[in-house]
Amino acid sequence: MAENQTVRFGIIGCAGIARKVARAIKIAPNSTLYAIASRSIEKAQKFAGNNGLSGTVKTYGSYDQLLDDPCVDAVYMPLPTSLHLHWAVLAAQKKKHLLLEKPTALDVGELDQIVEACESNGVQFMDGSMWLHHPRTAKLKKFISESEHFGQIDIIRSTSTMSVTQEFRESNIRVKPDLDALGALGDLGWYCIGAILWAKDYKLPTVVNALPDVTKNSAGVILSCTASFHWEPLDETVATIHCSFLSHTSMDLAISGCNGSLHCNDYIIPYQEKSASFDFTSGATFVELHIGWNVRPEEVRVISEQPQEALMVEEFARLVKGIMKSGHRPESKWPKISRNTQVVLDAVKKSIDLGCKPVRL
């Protein structure tokens, strides 16, 4: 690979999220959108036309054709979760670096097969959790890591909710048992679980317990659920998540330590593309007669030169270029993050299946 050559991406599947990532690939300075594949050439061409890509990208009427193209360096794969195992393993076997949409798999056994295929073929793996790449996320981590102003983490609360139509609840891909059997837990809960693990430096909880407020559609797919997490006996942190297709839009992350707390109301998708913020409070107490507080939350604002999805693509492409040009080994951090998230997600699903009994990890 030449010094100034960009990583050439192929997109496998024309899901709605693919439009966002196609734009991100165009924005990222080290990436080029080279090809798009769908199950029919007409769908691929329609996607290209609707996104201003006609004449600039190759279009394929099958996923195999794109994977057989030697000019494709990496693939972004936003397929239904039930299709990930087959196509992700095949992509790795074809030596394509893999940016895989979340949830990564139906369970950790499937994910392990995908990661093993990537490792044995020397290709980079990363899931599509965009928020991890926003500069605000690094700033959040800096604040919760300060022992004097924040202290040991006591409580973490994360929510991801959206209100959908009745038609969505019964027929959208994300609630069909043969396509995305994890429902809201996979689609939204992935973020919530990822956030609490991120706050704990990816240390797995010891006990996972779904709460008995689970709602499912007529096919038995989860539409809404809540779960708690404990890191006992030496760590007293408690975390809760709530993910739902039945509530007004929310993307909240709240973390409390013994000396401080922070709140972020848009941690998954910032309110604005180029600027994001969170509230931080330290040393708070009540004034005399408990008629107010002695401090107000400090708003911490972070500027982002690029959208978080473009930063994700840029980081992924940087790793790919290091492998292709300099012979670097794939970065193991990202598959480990995905695996820990999948392990905990599986535990929530198991707790639900057991009638909301605790599951030990």
mmCIF file of all heavy atoms in Angstrom, residues 258-303:
data_model
loop_
_atom_site.group_PDB
_atom_site.id
_atom_site.type_symbol
_atom_site.label_atom_id
_atom_site.label_comp_id
_atom_site.label_asym_id
_atom_site.label_seq_id
_atom_site.Cartn_x
_atom_site.Cartn_y
_atom_site.Cartn_z
ATOM 1 N N CYS A 258 -17.911 8.788 44.733
ATOM 2 C CA CYS A 258 -18.010 9.229 46.117
ATOM 3 C C CYS A 258 -17.747 10.732 46.264
ATOM 4 O O CYS A 258 -18.128 11.331 47.282
ATOM 5 C CB CYS A 258 -17.063 8.432 47.007
ATOM 6 S SG CYS A 258 -15.340 8.447 46.484
ATOM 7 N N ASN A 259 -17.139 11.360 45.242
ATOM 8 C CA ASN A 259 -16.836 12.794 45.332
ATOM 9 C C ASN A 259 -17.469 13.630 44.231
ATOM 10 O O ASN A 259 -17.391 14.863 44.282
ATOM 11 C CB ASN A 259 -15.317 13.017 45.285
ATOM 12 C CG ASN A 259 -14.600 12.360 46.446
ATOM 13 O OD1 ASN A 259 -15.110 12.335 47.562
ATOM 14 N ND2 ASN A 259 -13.422 11.815 46.187
ATOM 15 N N GLY A 260 -18.056 13.003 43.230
ATOM 16 C CA GLY A 260 -18.601 13.767 42.123
ATOM 17 C C GLY A 260 -19.577 12.954 41.298
ATOM 18 O O GLY A 260 -19.768 11.757 41.525
ATOM 19 N N SER A 261 -20.211 13.624 40.321
ATOM 20 C CA SER A 261 -21.150 12.934 39.437
ATOM 21 C C SER A 261 -21.170 13.635 38.089
ATOM 22 O O SER A 261 -20.831 14.828 37.978
ATOM 23 C CB SER A 261 -22.557 12.927 40.038
ATOM 24 O OG SER A 261 -23.045 14.254 40.212
ATOM 25 N N LEU A 262 -21.549 12.887 37.056
ATOM 26 C CA LEU A 262 -21.717 13.494 35.743
ATOM 27 C C LEU A 262 -22.957 12.938 35.064
ATOM 28 O O LEU A 262 -23.396 11.819 35.335
ATOM 29 C CB LEU A 262 -20.466 13.300 34.872
ATOM 30 C CG LEU A 262 -19.980 11.901 34.480
ATOM 31 C CD1 LEU A 262 -20.776 11.341 33.303
ATOM 32 C CD2 LEU A 262 -18.508 11.953 34.108
ATOM 33 N N HIS A 263 -23.517 13.760 34.196
ATOM 34 C CA HIS A 263 -24.711 13.391 33.451
ATOM 35 C C HIS A 263 -24.522 13.774 31.987
ATOM 36 O O HIS A 263 -24.103 14.892 31.683
ATOM 37 C CB HIS A 263 -25.952 14.102 34.003
ATOM 38 C CG HIS A 263 -26.313 13.695 35.390
ATOM 39 N ND1 HIS A 263 -25.678 14.208 36.500
ATOM 40 C CD2 HIS A 263 -27.235 12.814 35.845
ATOM 41 C CE1 HIS A 263 -26.201 13.659 37.585
ATOM 42 N NE2 HIS A 263 -27.138 12.805 37.214
ATOM 43 N N CYS A 264 -24.851 12.844 31.110
ATOM 44 C CA CYS A 264 -24.772 13.066 29.668
ATOM 45 C C CYS A 264 -26.086 12.591 29.065
ATOM 46 O O CYS A 264 -26.443 11.416 29.217
ATOM 47 C CB CYS A 264 -23.585 12.303 29.085
ATOM 48 S SG CYS A 264 -23.296 12.593 27.336
ATOM 49 N N ASN A 265 -26.806 13.486 28.423
ATOM 50 C CA ASN A 265 -28.153 13.164 27.945
ATOM 51 C C ASN A 265 -28.213 12.744 26.480
ATOM 52 O O ASN A 265 -29.301 12.497 25.965
ATOM 53 C CB ASN A 265 -29.075 14.366 28.156
ATOM 54 C CG ASN A 265 -29.245 14.714 29.620
ATOM 55 O OD1 ASN A 265 -29.335 13.824 30.461
ATOM 56 N ND2 ASN A 265 -29.272 16.004 29.925
ATOM 57 N N ASP A 266 -27.058 12.663 25.830
ATOM 58 C CA ASP A 266 -27.041 12.332 24.404
ATOM 59 C C ASP A 266 -25.786 11.552 24.049
ATOM 60 O O ASP A 266 -25.174 11.791 23.000
ATOM 61 C CB ASP A 266 -27.133 13.610 23.565
ATOM 62 C CG ASP A 266 -25.968 14.567 23.831
ATOM 63 O OD1 ASP A 266 -25.266 14.391 24.847
ATOM 64 O OD2 ASP A 266 -25.759 15.490 23.015
ATOM 65 N N TYR A 267 -25.403 10.611 24.900
ATOM 66 C CA TYR A 267 -24.082 10.001 24.754
ATOM 67 C C TYR A 267 -23.940 9.137 23.505
ATOM 68 O O TYR A 267 -22.831 8.925 23.010
ATOM 69 C CB TYR A 267 -23.707 9.191 26.011
ATOM 70 C CG TYR A 267 -24.326 7.818 26.128
ATOM 71 C CD1 TYR A 267 -23.649 6.681 25.711
ATOM 72 C CD2 TYR A 267 -25.595 7.638 26.676
ATOM 73 C CE1 TYR A 267 -24.204 5.412 25.819
ATOM 74 C CE2 TYR A 267 -26.156 6.378 26.808
ATOM 75 C CZ TYR A 267 -25.464 5.271 26.375
ATOM 76 O OH TYR A 267 -26.024 4.022 26.488
ATOM 77 N N ILE A 268 -25.036 8.629 22.959
ATOM 78 C CA ILE A 268 -24.958 7.761 21.784
ATOM 79 C C ILE A 268 -24.888 8.583 20.498
ATOM 80 O O ILE A 268 -24.031 8.350 19.647
ATOM 81 C CB ILE A 268 -26.161 6.794 21.733
ATOM 82 C CG1 ILE A 268 -26.199 5.922 22.996
ATOM 83 C CG2 ILE A 268 -26.093 5.913 20.480
ATOM 84 C CD1 ILE A 268 -27.467 5.106 23.143
ATOM 85 N N ILE A 269 -25.777 9.554 20.370
ATOM 86 C CA ILE A 269 -25.782 10.480 19.232
ATOM 87 C C ILE A 269 -25.862 11.894 19.795
ATOM 88 O O ILE A 269 -26.891 12.277 20.352
ATOM 89 C CB ILE A 269 -26.965 10.225 18.282
ATOM 90 C CG1 ILE A 269 -26.930 8.791 17.752
ATOM 91 C CG2 ILE A 269 -26.947 11.230 17.127
ATOM 92 C CD1 ILE A 269 -28.148 8.428 16.911
ATOM 93 N N PRO A 270 -24.808 12.691 19.694
ATOM 94 C CA PRO A 270 -24.841 14.052 20.242
ATOM 95 C C PRO A 270 -25.949 14.889 19.613
ATOM 96 O O PRO A 270 -26.304 14.700 18.442
ATOM 97 C CB PRO A 270 -23.460 14.610 19.897
ATOM 98 C CG PRO A 270 -22.591 13.407 19.698
ATOM 99 C CD PRO A 270 -23.489 12.358 19.119
ATOM 100 N N TYR A 271 -26.485 15.829 20.399
ATOM 101 C CA TYR A 271 -27.507 16.730 19.888
ATOM 102 C C TYR A 271 -27.019 17.458 18.635
ATOM 103 O O TYR A 271 -27.790 17.690 17.704
ATOM 104 C CB TYR A 271 -27.880 17.775 20.944
ATOM 105 C CG TYR A 271 -28.592 17.223 22.157
ATOM 106 C CD1 TYR A 271 -28.186 17.580 23.435
ATOM 107 C CD2 TYR A 271 -29.684 16.363 22.029
ATOM 108 C CE1 TYR A 271 -28.840 17.093 24.553
ATOM 109 C CE2 TYR A 271 -30.342 15.868 23.141
ATOM 110 C CZ TYR A 271 -29.919 16.233 24.413
ATOM 111 O OH TYR A 271 -30.557 15.753 25.525
ATOM 112 N N GLN A 272 -25.748 17.841 18.633
ATOM 113 C CA GLN A 272 -25.160 18.536 17.504
ATOM 114 C C GLN A 272 -23.946 17.756 17.007
ATOM 115 O O GLN A 272 -23.229 17.137 17.794
ATOM 116 C CB GLN A 272 -24.726 19.950 17.902
ATOM 117 C CG GLN A 272 -25.876 20.832 18.361
ATOM 118 C CD GLN A 272 -25.390 22.204 18.816
ATOM 119 O OE1 GLN A 272 -24.215 22.386 19.135
ATOM 120 N NE2 GLN A 272 -26.293 23.165 18.818
ATOM 121 N N GLU A 273 -23.702 17.814 15.713
ATOM 122 C CA GLU A 273 -22.654 16.996 15.124
ATOM 123 C C GLU A 273 -21.254 17.449 15.511
ATOM 124 O O GLU A 273 -20.359 16.631 15.720
ATOM 125 C CB GLU A 273 -22.804 17.008 13.600
ATOM 126 C CG GLU A 273 -21.937 15.998 12.890
ATOM 127 C CD GLU A 273 -22.313 15.847 11.436
ATOM 128 O OE1 GLU A 273 -22.120 16.814 10.668
ATOM 129 O OE2 GLU A 273 -22.810 14.774 11.061
ATOM 130 N N LYS A 274 -21.043 18.758 15.640
ATOM 131 C CA LYS A 274 -19.696 19.281 15.847
ATOM 132 C C LYS A 274 -19.419 19.736 17.269
ATOM 133 O O LYS A 274 -18.321 20.226 17.574
ATOM 134 C CB LYS A 274 -19.435 20.440 14.872
ATOM 135 C CG LYS A 274 -19.432 19.999 13.416
ATOM 136 C CD LYS A 274 -19.039 21.128 12.486
ATOM 137 C CE LYS A 274 -18.976 20.656 11.040
ATOM 138 N NZ LYS A 274 -18.579 21.749 10.108
ATOM 139 N N SER A 275 -20.393 19.574 18.163
ATOM 140 C CA SER A 275 -20.195 19.998 19.545
ATOM 141 C C SER A 275 -21.043 19.133 20.458
ATOM 142 O O SER A 275 -22.199 18.835 20.147
ATOM 143 C CB SER A 275 -20.594 21.478 19.698
ATOM 144 O OG SER A 275 -20.503 21.896 21.038
ATOM 145 N N ALA A 276 -20.450 18.712 21.569
ATOM 146 C CA ALA A 276 -21.172 17.863 22.524
ATOM 147 C C ALA A 276 -20.766 18.258 23.936
ATOM 148 O O ALA A 276 -19.694 18.822 24.158
ATOM 149 C CB ALA A 276 -20.855 16.384 22.280
ATOM 150 N N SER A 277 -21.632 17.961 24.903
ATOM 151 C CA SER A 277 -21.354 18.396 26.270
ATOM 152 C C SER A 277 -21.835 17.370 27.285
ATOM 153 O O SER A 277 -22.514 16.406 26.945
ATOM 154 C CB SER A 277 -22.036 19.748 26.550
ATOM 155 O OG SER A 277 -23.449 19.606 26.525
ATOM 156 N N PHE A 278 -21.447 17.584 28.522
ATOM 157 C CA PHE A 278 -21.984 16.838 29.650
ATOM 158 C C PHE A 278 -21.896 17.731 30.881
ATOM 159 O O PHE A 278 -21.168 18.730 30.885
ATOM 160 C CB PHE A 278 -21.243 15.513 29.875
ATOM 161 C CG PHE A 278 -19.769 15.653 30.158
ATOM 162 C CD1 PHE A 278 -19.299 15.720 31.468
ATOM 163 C CD2 PHE A 278 -18.838 15.690 29.131
ATOM 164 C CE1 PHE A 278 -17.941 15.835 31.737
ATOM 165 C CE2 PHE A 278 -17.478 15.798 29.382
ATOM 166 C CZ PHE A 278 -17.026 15.877 30.686
ATOM 167 N N ASP A 279 -22.652 17.398 31.909
ATOM 168 C CA ASP A 279 -22.643 18.148 33.167
ATOM 169 C C ASP A 279 -21.831 17.406 34.208
ATOM 170 O O ASP A 279 -21.993 16.192 34.386
ATOM 171 C CB ASP A 279 -24.065 18.363 33.686
ATOM 172 C CG ASP A 279 -24.850 19.351 32.845
ATOM 173 O OD1 ASP A 279 -24.212 20.138 32.120
ATOM 174 O OD2 ASP A 279 -26.098 19.325 32.901
ATOM 175 N N PHE A 280 -20.984 18.146 34.916
ATOM 176 C CA PHE A 280 -20.140 17.564 35.954
ATOM 177 C C PHE A 280 -20.317 18.348 37.248
ATOM 178 O O PHE A 280 -20.345 19.578 37.248
ATOM 179 C CB PHE A 280 -18.671 17.602 35.535
ATOM 180 C CG PHE A 280 -17.722 17.094 36.583
ATOM 181 C CD1 PHE A 280 -17.629 15.741 36.864
ATOM 182 C CD2 PHE A 280 -16.932 17.980 37.308
ATOM 183 C CE1 PHE A 280 -16.761 15.272 37.833
ATOM 184 C CE2 PHE A 280 -16.056 17.521 38.281
ATOM 185 C CZ PHE A 280 -15.973 16.160 38.543
ATOM 186 N N THR A 281 -20.466 17.610 38.345
ATOM 187 C CA THR A 281 -20.615 18.228 39.660
ATOM 188 C C THR A 281 -19.652 17.559 40.635
ATOM 189 O O THR A 281 -19.531 16.338 40.650
ATOM 190 C CB THR A 281 -22.054 18.077 40.196
ATOM 191 O OG1 THR A 281 -22.976 18.547 39.221
ATOM 192 C CG2 THR A 281 -22.238 18.863 41.487
ATOM 193 N N SER A 282 -18.960 18.361 41.440
ATOM 194 C CA SER A 282 -18.058 17.827 42.454
ATOM 195 C C SER A 282 -18.204 18.650 43.733
ATOM 196 O O SER A 282 -18.362 19.872 43.685
ATOM 197 C CB SER A 282 -16.610 17.871 41.968
ATOM 198 O OG SER A 282 -15.740 17.278 42.906
ATOM 199 N N GLY A 283 -18.157 17.948 44.871
ATOM 200 C CA GLY A 283 -18.244 18.630 46.159
ATOM 201 C C GLY A 283 -19.611 19.198 46.462
ATOM 202 O O GLY A 283 -19.741 20.148 47.249
ATOM 203 N N ALA A 284 -20.650 18.640 45.881
ATOM 204 C CA ALA A 284 -21.994 19.182 46.081
ATOM 205 C C ALA A 284 -22.546 18.828 47.457
ATOM 206 O O ALA A 284 -22.346 17.718 47.965
ATOM 207 C CB ALA A 284 -22.935 18.659 45.001
ATOM 208 N N THR A 285 -23.246 19.787 48.051
ATOM 209 C CA THR A 285 -23.986 19.572 49.297
ATOM 210 C C THR A 285 -25.131 20.570 49.318
ATOM 211 O O THR A 285 -25.279 21.407 48.419
ATOM 212 C CB THR A 285 -23.079 19.748 50.524
ATOM 213 O OG1 THR A 285 -23.810 19.375 51.702
ATOM 214 C CG2 THR A 285 -22.597 21.182 50.656
ATOM 215 N N PHE A 286 -25.966 20.476 50.336
ATOM 216 C CA PHE A 286 -27.099 21.392 50.437
ATOM 217 C C PHE A 286 -26.726 22.590 51.301
ATOM 218 O O PHE A 286 -25.943 22.478 52.246
ATOM 219 C CB PHE A 286 -28.321 20.691 51.024
ATOM 220 C CG PHE A 286 -28.786 19.506 50.210
ATOM 221 C CD1 PHE A 286 -28.905 18.255 50.794
ATOM 222 C CD2 PHE A 286 -29.092 19.632 48.865
ATOM 223 C CE1 PHE A 286 -29.324 17.158 50.050
ATOM 224 C CE2 PHE A 286 -29.511 18.546 48.117
ATOM 225 C CZ PHE A 286 -29.630 17.314 48.711
ATOM 226 N N VAL A 287 -27.290 23.733 50.968
ATOM 227 C CA VAL A 287 -27.071 24.920 51.797
ATOM 228 C C VAL A 287 -27.946 24.824 53.046
ATOM 229 O O VAL A 287 -28.755 23.899 53.208
ATOM 230 C CB VAL A 287 -27.391 26.208 51.012
ATOM 231 C CG1 VAL A 287 -26.501 26.321 49.794
ATOM 232 C CG2 VAL A 287 -28.867 26.240 50.593
ATOM 233 N N GLU A 288 -27.786 25.767 53.946
ATOM 234 C CA GLU A 288 -28.535 25.765 55.205
ATOM 235 C C GLU A 288 -30.035 25.692 54.951
ATOM 236 O O GLU A 288 -30.563 26.303 54.013
ATOM 237 C CB GLU A 288 -28.206 27.029 56.005
ATOM 238 C CG GLU A 288 -28.757 27.013 57.419
ATOM 239 C CD GLU A 288 -28.320 28.227 58.228
ATOM 240 O OE1 GLU A 288 -27.563 29.061 57.690
ATOM 241 O OE2 GLU A 288 -28.743 28.332 59.379
ATOM 242 N N LEU A 289 -30.712 24.923 55.768
ATOM 243 C CA LEU A 289 -32.149 24.650 55.675
ATOM 244 C C LEU A 289 -32.515 23.791 54.455
ATOM 245 O O LEU A 289 -33.686 23.561 54.177
ATOM 246 C CB LEU A 289 -32.963 25.945 55.630
ATOM 247 C CG LEU A 289 -32.827 26.888 56.820
ATOM 248 C CD1 LEU A 289 -33.729 28.099 56.646
ATOM 249 C CD2 LEU A 289 -33.173 26.170 58.117
ATOM 250 N N HIS A 290 -31.490 23.336 53.741
ATOM 251 C CA HIS A 290 -31.724 22.484 52.568
ATOM 252 C C HIS A 290 -32.685 23.130 51.570
ATOM 253 O O HIS A 290 -33.588 22.490 51.026
ATOM 254 C CB HIS A 290 -32.271 21.119 53.005
ATOM 255 C CG HIS A 290 -31.232 20.264 53.657
ATOM 256 N ND1 HIS A 290 -31.351 18.902 53.774
ATOM 257 C CD2 HIS A 290 -30.057 20.572 54.274
ATOM 258 C CE1 HIS A 290 -30.301 18.401 54.414
ATOM 259 N NE2 HIS A 290 -29.503 19.430 54.723
ATOM 260 N N ILE A 291 -32.452 24.406 51.289
ATOM 261 C CA ILE A 291 -33.298 25.122 50.336
ATOM 262 C C ILE A 291 -32.600 25.316 48.993
ATOM 263 O O ILE A 291 -33.100 26.024 48.118
ATOM 264 C CB ILE A 291 -33.718 26.494 50.907
ATOM 265 C CG1 ILE A 291 -32.474 27.342 51.234
ATOM 266 C CG2 ILE A 291 -34.610 26.318 52.129
ATOM 267 C CD1 ILE A 291 -32.798 28.749 51.665
ATOM 268 N N GLY A 292 -31.451 24.690 48.828
ATOM 269 C CA GLY A 292 -30.725 24.785 47.571
ATOM 270 C C GLY A 292 -29.407 24.041 47.658
ATOM 271 O O GLY A 292 -29.120 23.374 48.649
ATOM 272 N N TRP A 293 -28.625 24.158 46.603
ATOM 273 C CA TRP A 293 -27.324 23.502 46.530
ATOM 274 C C TRP A 293 -26.214 24.537 46.657
ATOM 275 O O TRP A 293 -26.393 25.707 46.313
ATOM 276 C CB TRP A 293 -27.161 22.788 45.172
ATOM 277 C CG TRP A 293 -28.056 21.600 44.968
ATOM 278 C CD1 TRP A 293 -29.397 21.533 45.158
ATOM 279 C CD2 TRP A 293 -27.660 20.310 44.507
ATOM 280 N NE1 TRP A 293 -29.881 20.292 44.840
ATOM 281 C CE2 TRP A 293 -28.824 19.521 44.432
ATOM 282 C CE3 TRP A 293 -26.441 19.757 44.138
ATOM 283 C CZ2 TRP A 293 -28.804 18.193 44.008
ATOM 284 C CZ3 TRP A 293 -26.424 18.433 43.709
ATOM 285 C CH2 TRP A 293 -27.592 17.656 43.655
ATOM 286 N N ASN A 294 -25.058 24.084 47.102
ATOM 287 C CA ASN A 294 -23.922 25.004 47.212
ATOM 288 C C ASN A 294 -23.200 25.214 45.889
ATOM 289 O O ASN A 294 -22.441 26.176 45.722
ATOM 290 C CB ASN A 294 -22.919 24.497 48.264
ATOM 291 C CG ASN A 294 -22.238 23.207 47.838
ATOM 292 O OD1 ASN A 294 -22.871 22.370 47.196
ATOM 293 N ND2 ASN A 294 -20.974 23.036 48.191
ATOM 294 N N VAL A 295 -23.402 24.318 44.907
ATOM 295 C CA VAL A 295 -22.783 24.450 43.584
ATOM 296 C C VAL A 295 -23.800 24.072 42.508
ATOM 297 O O VAL A 295 -24.765 23.350 42.771
ATOM 298 C CB VAL A 295 -21.537 23.538 43.437
ATOM 299 C CG1 VAL A 295 -20.438 23.960 44.387
ATOM 300 C CG2 VAL A 295 -21.900 22.064 43.632
ATOM 301 N N ARG A 296 -23.566 24.577 41.318
ATOM 302 C CA ARG A 296 -24.352 24.175 40.154
ATOM 303 C C ARG A 296 -23.479 23.288 39.268
ATOM 304 O O ARG A 296 -22.247 23.409 39.269
ATOM 305 C CB ARG A 296 -24.813 25.391 39.363
ATOM 306 C CG ARG A 296 -25.821 26.267 40.101
ATOM 307 C CD ARG A 296 -26.236 27.441 39.238
ATOM 308 N NE ARG A 296 -26.904 27.004 38.022
ATOM 309 C CZ ARG A 296 -28.209 26.712 37.939
ATOM 310 N NH1 ARG A 296 -28.971 26.836 39.028
ATOM 311 N NH2 ARG A 296 -28.747 26.334 36.799
ATOM 312 N N PRO A 297 -24.097 22.396 38.487
ATOM 313 C CA PRO A 297 -23.298 21.560 37.593
ATOM 314 C C PRO A 297 -22.503 22.413 36.607
ATOM 315 O O PRO A 297 -22.981 23.440 36.127
ATOM 316 C CB PRO A 297 -24.348 20.705 36.865
ATOM 317 C CG PRO A 297 -25.541 20.700 37.767
ATOM 318 C CD PRO A 297 -25.530 22.042 38.435
ATOM 319 N N GLU A 298 -21.297 21.969 36.318
ATOM 320 C CA GLU A 298 -20.454 22.626 35.317
ATOM 321 C C GLU A 298 -20.703 21.958 33.970
ATOM 322 O O GLU A 298 -20.606 20.735 33.834
ATOM 323 C CB GLU A 298 -18.984 22.476 35.696
ATOM 324 C CG GLU A 298 -18.009 22.932 34.619
ATOM 325 C CD GLU A 298 -16.589 22.488 34.862
ATOM 326 O OE1 GLU A 298 -16.329 21.849 35.917
ATOM 327 O OE2 GLU A 298 -15.723 22.752 33.998
ATOM 328 N N GLU A 299 -21.035 22.760 32.960
ATOM 329 C CA GLU A 299 -21.192 22.216 31.619
ATOM 330 C C GLU A 299 -19.820 22.128 30.963
ATOM 331 O O GLU A 299 -19.119 23.135 30.841
ATOM 332 C CB GLU A 299 -22.111 23.071 30.762
ATOM 333 C CG GLU A 299 -22.327 22.470 29.370
ATOM 334 C CD GLU A 299 -23.119 23.364 28.441
ATOM 335 O OE1 GLU A 299 -22.875 24.592 28.436
ATOM 336 O OE2 GLU A 299 -23.968 22.839 27.704
ATOM 337 N N VAL A 300 -19.447 20.929 30.565
ATOM 338 C CA VAL A 300 -18.180 20.704 29.874
ATOM 339 C C VAL A 300 -18.490 20.456 28.403
ATOM 340 O O VAL A 300 -19.187 19.498 28.060
ATOM 341 C CB VAL A 300 -17.420 19.500 30.459
ATOM 342 C CG1 VAL A 300 -16.103 19.295 29.731
ATOM 343 C CG2 VAL A 300 -17.197 19.684 31.957
ATOM 344 N N ARG A 301 -18.002 21.335 27.540
ATOM 345 C CA ARG A 301 -18.303 21.240 26.111
ATOM 346 C C ARG A 301 -17.065 20.785 25.347
ATOM 347 O O ARG A 301 -15.956 21.252 25.620
ATOM 348 C CB ARG A 301 -18.806 22.578 25.576
ATOM 349 C CG ARG A 301 -19.281 22.537 24.124
ATOM 350 C CD ARG A 301 -20.221 23.674 23.808
ATOM 351 N NE ARG A 301 -21.474 23.545 24.522
ATOM 352 C CZ ARG A 301 -22.505 22.794 24.127
ATOM 353 N NH1 ARG A 301 -22.407 22.088 23.002
ATOM 354 N NH2 ARG A 301 -23.608 22.752 24.835
ATOM 355 N N VAL A 302 -17.265 19.903 24.388
ATOM 356 C CA VAL A 302 -16.177 19.332 23.599
ATOM 357 C C VAL A 302 -16.477 19.532 22.117
ATOM 358 O O VAL A 302 -17.550 19.167 21.641
ATOM 359 C CB VAL A 302 -15.998 17.830 23.902
ATOM 360 C CG1 VAL A 302 -14.855 17.255 23.085
ATOM 361 C CG2 VAL A 302 -15.774 17.599 25.394
ATOM 362 N N ILE A 303 -15.520 20.105 21.399
ATOM 363 C CA ILE A 303 -15.663 20.319 19.964
ATOM 364 C C ILE A 303 -15.128 19.102 19.213
ATOM 365 O O ILE A 303 -14.102 18.526 19.577
ATOM 366 C CB ILE A 303 -14.888 21.580 19.519
ATOM 367 C CG1 ILE A 303 -15.395 22.801 20.297
ATOM 368 C CG2 ILE A 303 -15.025 21.803 18.021
ATOM 369 C CD1 ILE A 303 -16.862 23.104 20.098
#
